[in-house]
Amino acid sequence: VALGNEKGFRAKHFAAIKQLDVKVNVLPLLKKQVEINTIRLHGLNVSLEVAKNKSNNWSSLSQPSATDTVAPEQEAAPAETVPAAKVESASLLQSLKVEGFEFVDAVINYDDRSSNTRVTVSELNLETGAITFDEPVNVNFSARIKNNQPAIDTRLTLATALSFNRDFTEFNLRDFVFTIVADAKALLPQPETITIKSDIRVLMDEQRVSLKQLQLSALGLTVLSEVRVTQFLETPLIQGDIEVQPFNGREVAKRAGVVLPEMAKADALGRLALKAKIKLAGEKLQANDFEFALDDSTLSGWIHVTNLSKQQLRYELAFDQLNINDYMPPVTEAEVASARTPQAKQQDTTAVAQNAAGEDEKIELPLELMRSLDIKGDFRIDRLTALDYDIKQFLMSLMAKNGVINIKPLSMQVLQGQVNAAVQLDVQKAIPLYAINLKANQIQVGPVANPFLVGVMGDEELEMEGAVNLAMDIRTRGETINQLKRSSKGEIVIKMKQTRVRGFDPAYYMRSSVADYVASKGLGQYDSLMGVYRPREVTVFDLIRSNIRLADGKARTDNFLMDSKRVKITAEGYVDIMANRLDMMTSTQLPRGKTALEKIFNDPMYVRVYGPFAAIEYKIDTSRLKKSTTDVLKKDAQAKLDAEKQRLKEKARAEEQRLRDRAKAEEQRLRDKAKAEQKRAEEKAKNKLQDKLKGLFR
């Protein structure tokens, strides 16, 4: 039997059949009993064609003929009303017995010349055992499908035991096994087998379908499920449990032809698994008791799509722990050591400057998609490791609607402190608007700042240790990075107390700079100014603070302060974030000097810090230094001269007094000597007189 093809198409026949064999016992039909021998349909060949003009060779088959047109008077005639009960009763078969069905070696060719697509379904076979009511019927189906775009060669097999009742209201497919073997070299590196197994039951009266012990196997994955479908003739309600058993993500990706990047953890993605309770009712999809295993981490919670067509998404998900470093590219110890060198820091900074100076590329955002988002949910991570940071209680609450995307709050405990932020992206208009409000309390600054301090002091190691409080409120708009920089407006407030800076002694730097300057002018005094002072390893600042204002592509400050008991540093100026350069004037003030010479430090020393980030320069304000040092040295010299004059005066007075005292002492000595001689003379005369008197009385 053959059916001719339409004119203009390639195949000789539209359809042809080699053998059709059907035998029906007539007498049982009178008793509503159907008895048929094996139905055989062998060698069916169908050619479906689409021409370059997109016309096809099967459309005319569905067009009604003139004899099929209903006459107007027939349309007006009332139809005979038959009670529903009679219709239902008349349609029931008393019994059904078919010895079997053979649909063998069918071929269907599809040739679409408008798209150069060709599909061939061959080796199409369907065989059954004896068919009767309420008895299992063995069904076996197989086919081969070859497609040229893309090139896929697929073999299908299906086997099941089908049973149905007399009313055709209950169907059971037991031991249902459907297998697909696909050879798609353009998509998969090797042929893959997909297997679906289940026990299926369909209850038409109850509008219920159940798929028990459903198992899907593909690419090394095994999915287990129990699915229940109700109200499938109205608004289907699909419910079930789904479980993707643990699998190796790298092995699955390899079988799927996907090359995953190398990761820091060699066995990352080695264990993945998924569990959830699924419910689909009309436009609503729910995934409850959601649990996703990622190596040593577990993501749990729920996901609801409240309206599929409007993409309304609600969720609440939480990781117990997550180490992002495991999934980052591996870094060798040599690369880590090299990154810490001043040379590497210099190269990184230079690269940043070169990138900024290059083409200002547009930030490609899926604006239409973002405007259509309707999302609300919380995402948490109890313990998160990212880079060198251990983060706890990470929370990101997202709400997106009508083109406004808000992340509020974005909070975490990190570096022994707390961070709370709110981020907004507004894409309602052509130019996106951005806003960020952030507060960080008692964050340890060292791990964040120290990598950027490498090489700042040359080969000297520079490190900070302390807690920072930071507040940020910034708004900007633009389509490129430069536009965002130029449009940024807002303020950043930084405050730190009891901050230890290792490798930086500004007091020593000021002393040595002044001493070098004085010595360079031939004024000497270097040793007197430096004394035994040696640079201290650590400087403790009682207070560091600054208010930074963003506008016109610059970050400005006029109140930068670093204050300690030994030194006070202030600064004002700006950072040009468009050109990646800065220009700051700093002043360093020491405590008031105790000696006249140390008063040279009473006036602050001014240093200009300027230039591109890749080559920052430091320049002392020598004009101010000259004036302050000259004045102090003059005063010191005058004080020394006055002191010498005073010393000489004091010396002269002392000498004069000494001479007076000496003359007075000599005069007193002579007076005492004369008195003594007179006394001796009187004693001598007295003794002579006594001797004479003694001679008279003898």
Side-chain angles (χ1 to χ4, degrees):
V1 178
L3 180 64
N5 203 359
E6 290 277 348
K7 291 183 179 181
F9 293 94
R10 293 177 176 176
K12 181 179 180 180
H13 299 113
F14 171 77
I17 301 174
K18 290 183 178 180
Q19 177 184 352
L20 175 62
D21 182 8
V22 180
K23 294 181 180 179
V24 182
N25 292 332
V26 178
L27 292 178
L29 291 177
L30 301 177
K31 301 179 181 180
K32 297 183 179 180
Q33 296 175 349
V34 177
E35 295 182 3
I36 305 175
N37 69 338
T38 300
I39 302 173
R40 294 181 175 87
L41 177 61
H42 291 194
L44 172 66
N45 193 309
V46 178
S47 295
L48 304 176
E49 298 182 62
V50 178
K52 289 185 177 180
N53 62 3
K54 297 188 177 181
S55 62
N56 61 65
N57 66 338
W58 64 84
S59 297
S60 60
L61 298 177
S62 61
Q63 295 177 357
S65 63
T67 57
D68 294 333
T69 305
V70 180
E73 59 273 15
Q74 290 176 321
E75 293 180 4
E80 182 180 355
T81 302
V82 180
K86 288 187 177 181
V87 173
E88 182 178 357
S89 175
S91 65
L92 293 178
L93 294 177
Q94 296 301 315
S95 67
L96 173 67
K97 184 177 180 181
V98 180
E99 292 182 5
F101 184 86
E102 292 181 4
F103 188 84
V104 182
D105 291 335
V107 177
I108 302 174
N109 290 296
Y110 175 80
D111 185 2
D112 185 348
R113 293 192 293 278
S114 67
S115 62
N116 196 29
T117 300
R118 292 185 299 277
V119 181
T120 300
V121 181
S122 61
E123 302 175 27
L124 184 59
N125 299 290
L126 174 63
E127 297 183 14
T128 72
I131 303 173
T132 187
F133 292 127
D134 300 315
E135 293 292 334
V137 180
N138 291 326
V139 178
N140 291 282
F141 167 83
S142 63
R144 182 179 183 181
I145 303 174
K146 296 184 70 174
N147 185 67
N148 72 324
Q149 290 186 1
I152 302 177
D153 187 355
T154 306
R155 294 182 180 273
L156 311 177
T157 61
L158 184 151
T160 187
L162 169 67
S163 63
F164 49 90
N165 64 358
R166 188 186 309 274
D167 301 332
F168 295 101
T169 58
E170 180 176 346
F171 300 87
N172 289 281
L173 291 88
R174 299 190 182 279
D175 300 323
F176 178 91
V177 180
F178 180 48
T179 303
I180 304 172
V181 180
D183 187 357
K185 292 182 173 60
L187 303 175
L188 300 173
Q190 61 189 17
E192 287 292 342
T193 301
I194 303 172
T195 304
I196 301 174
K197 299 179 180 179
S198 184
D199 285 334
I200 304 172
R201 187 181 187 192
V202 180
L203 300 175
M204 299 298 295
D205 290 343
E206 300 179 17
Q207 298 187 47
R208 180 159 57 91
V209 178
S210 62
L211 290 83
K212 295 184 177 181
Q213 298 178 342
L214 176 62
Q215 177 178 317
L216 168 64
S217 301
L219 298 170
L221 291 171
T222 300
V223 182
L224 304 178
S225 182
E226 296 280 338
V227 179
R228 301 172 301 281
V229 183
T230 56
Q231 304 174 10
F232 57 81
L233 296 178
E234 300 169 4
T235 302
L237 172 61
I238 304 174
Q239 301 179 81
D241 300 335
I242 183 171
E243 176 184 354
V244 181
Q245 293 190 322
F247 65 94
N248 187 308
R250 290 193 168 277
E251 291 297 327
V252 171
K254 182 179 179 181
R255 290 179 61 169
V258 177
V259 179
L260 294 177
E262 190 177 0
M263 299 180 183
K265 187 178 179 182
D267 59 349
L269 303 179
R271 183 183 181 276
L272 304 176
L274 175 68
K275 289 182 180 180
K277 293 183 181 296
I278 303 298
K279 182 178 180 180
L280 174 61
E283 293 285 331
K284 297 181 179 180
L285 172 63
Q286 297 181 1
N288 295 311
D289 297 338
F290 182 88
E291 188 174 293
F292 173 64
L294 174 62
D295 296 323
D296 298 327
S297 305
T298 302
L299 177 68
S300 57
W302 54 265
I303 303 173
H304 293 174
V305 181
T306 56
N307 190 305
L308 288 169
S309 60
K310 295 182 179 180
Q311 303 179 45
Q312 292 177 340
L313 176 64
R314 304 293 183 264
Y315 63 88
E316 187 169 323
L317 298 169
F319 265 112
D320 57 348
Q321 61 181 7
L322 181 63
N323 189 337
I324 295 178
N325 297 339
D326 292 345
Y327 308 97
M328 300 296 288
V331 180
T332 64
E333 294 182 2
E335 290 174 330
V336 173
S338 174
R340 293 174 178 170
T341 62
Q343 293 80 4
K345 175 70 162 48
Q346 179 80 5
Q347 292 172 1
D348 292 343
T349 309
T350 303
V352 170
Q354 291 174 347
N355 291 338
E359 184 179 356
D360 187 22
E361 296 183 359
K362 184 177 180 180
I363 302 172
E364 297 294 342
L365 295 177
L367 297 180
E368 292 304 320
L369 172 63
M370 297 171 76
R371 289 165 184 156
S372 66
L373 293 178
D374 187 348
I375 302 175
K376 185 177 182 180
D378 292 342
F379 177 67
R380 305 173 187 270
I381 305 177
D382 289 341
R383 299 189 307 280
L384 171 65
T385 302
L387 300 177
D388 295 329
Y389 307 131
D390 292 325
I391 300 170
K392 297 180 180 179
Q393 302 302 316
F394 176 89
L395 169 62
M396 183 175 69
S397 293
L398 172 66
M399 183 170 70
K401 193 170 184 179
N402 299 326
V404 179
I405 302 172
N406 283 294
I407 301 177
K408 181 181 180 181
L410 176 62
S411 63
M412 68 191 79
Q413 295 176 10
V414 61
L415 297 174
Q416 303 178 34
Q418 178 72 37
V419 176
N420 293 288
V423 180
Q424 184 181 87
L425 173 58
D426 187 343
V427 294
Q428 295 180 97
K429 298 181 180 179
I431 306 299
L433 304 177
Y434 301 80
I436 179 170
N437 185 286
L438 180 144
K439 290 184 178 179
N441 296 317
Q442 295 299 297
I443 300 296
Q444 292 300 312
V445 72
V448 179
N450 290 342
F452 296 96
L453 298 178
V454 175
V456 171
M457 300 293 292
D459 294 334
E460 298 293 332
E461 187 175 354
L462 183 62
E463 294 181 346
M464 293 185 70
E465 179 183 333
V468 62
N469 291 335
L470 183 144
M472 178 189 301
D473 189 0
I474 299 174
R475 283 169 169 70
T476 187
R477 58 179 294 165
E479 296 180 292
T480 68
I481 297 297
N482 280 353
Q483 289 178 6
L484 296 179
K485 290 180 178 180
R486 188 178 297 109
S487 301
S488 294
K489 297 183 182 298
E491 185 177 33
I492 302 172
V493 179
I494 301 173
K495 188 174 183 180
M496 302 176 65
K497 293 182 178 180
Q498 296 301 309
T499 305
R500 296 167 57 87
V501 182
R502 185 180 301 277
F504 177 55
D505 186 352
Y508 177 81
Y509 174 73
M510 180 175 180
R511 282 180 177 272
S512 60
S513 298
V514 172
D516 288 340
Y517 175 78
V518 172
S520 69
K521 298 301 180 182
L523 301 176
Q525 305 292 346
Y526 182 89
D527 292 337
S528 299
L529 288 170
M530 293 302 298
V532 295
Y533 196 93
R534 294 293 180 269
R536 299 195 180 189
E537 185 178 350
V538 176
T539 300
V540 179
F541 290 95
D542 300 318
L543 176 63
I544 299 177
R545 62 164 172 77
S546 180
N547 289 63
I548 303 170
R549 300 179 304 280
L550 296 177
D552 304 321
K554 292 182 174 63
R556 300 179 181 274
T557 183
D558 57 8
N559 67 345
F560 180 85
L561 171 67
M562 299 178 71
D563 193 11
S564 75
K565 295 181 176 63
R566 298 174 48 248
V567 66
K568 179 179 180 181
I569 302 173
T570 60
E572 60 181 22
Y574 66 87
V575 174
D576 189 333
I577 58 179
M578 298 294 299
N580 289 323
R581 59 186 301 120
L582 59 84
D583 194 340
M584 305 284 291
M585 180 60 74
T586 69
S587 68
T588 305
Q589 178 73 63
L590 297 181
R592 298 190 68 82
K594 297 179 181 179
T595 67
L597 184 59
E598 285 185 341
K599 290 182 180 179
I600 199 170
F601 302 116
N602 287 355
D603 289 337
M605 182 180 71
Y606 292 89
V607 179
R608 183 186 175 202
V609 184
Y610 64 100
F613 294 161
I616 295 177
E617 297 185 45
Y618 305 86
K619 184 178 181 181
I620 297 176
D621 190 339
T622 54
S623 60
R624 298 194 193 188
L625 183 59
K626 178 181 179 180
K627 183 178 183 304
S628 61
T629 54
T630 301
D631 291 345
V632 171
L633 290 174
K634 283 182 178 180
K635 291 178 181 179
D636 181 59
Q638 185 63 48
K640 288 182 177 179
L641 180 59
D642 292 343
E644 183 63 19
K645 287 181 179 180
Q646 184 64 30
R647 187 185 68 80
L648 292 175
K649 286 182 181 180
E650 294 294 333
K651 184 177 180 181
R653 290 195 194 97
E655 183 64 20
E656 182 180 355
Q657 184 64 41
R658 187 183 67 79
L659 292 175
R660 285 197 196 99
D661 293 342
R662 183 177 180 182
K664 188 175 180 181
E666 183 64 21
E667 180 181 356
Q668 183 64 37
R669 186 184 67 79
L670 293 175
R671 191 179 294 115
D672 292 341
K673 182 179 180 181
K675 287 182 179 180
E677 290 179 352
Q678 181 180 358
K679 186 176 180 180
R680 283 196 298 272
E682 289 178 353
E683 287 293 333
K684 185 177 180 181
K686 183 178 178 181
N687 291 336
K688 286 182 179 182
L689 180 57
Q690 288 179 351
D691 289 341
K692 287 180 179 183
L693 290 175
K694 289 179 181 179
L696 290 175
F697 293 100
R698 289 181 179 171

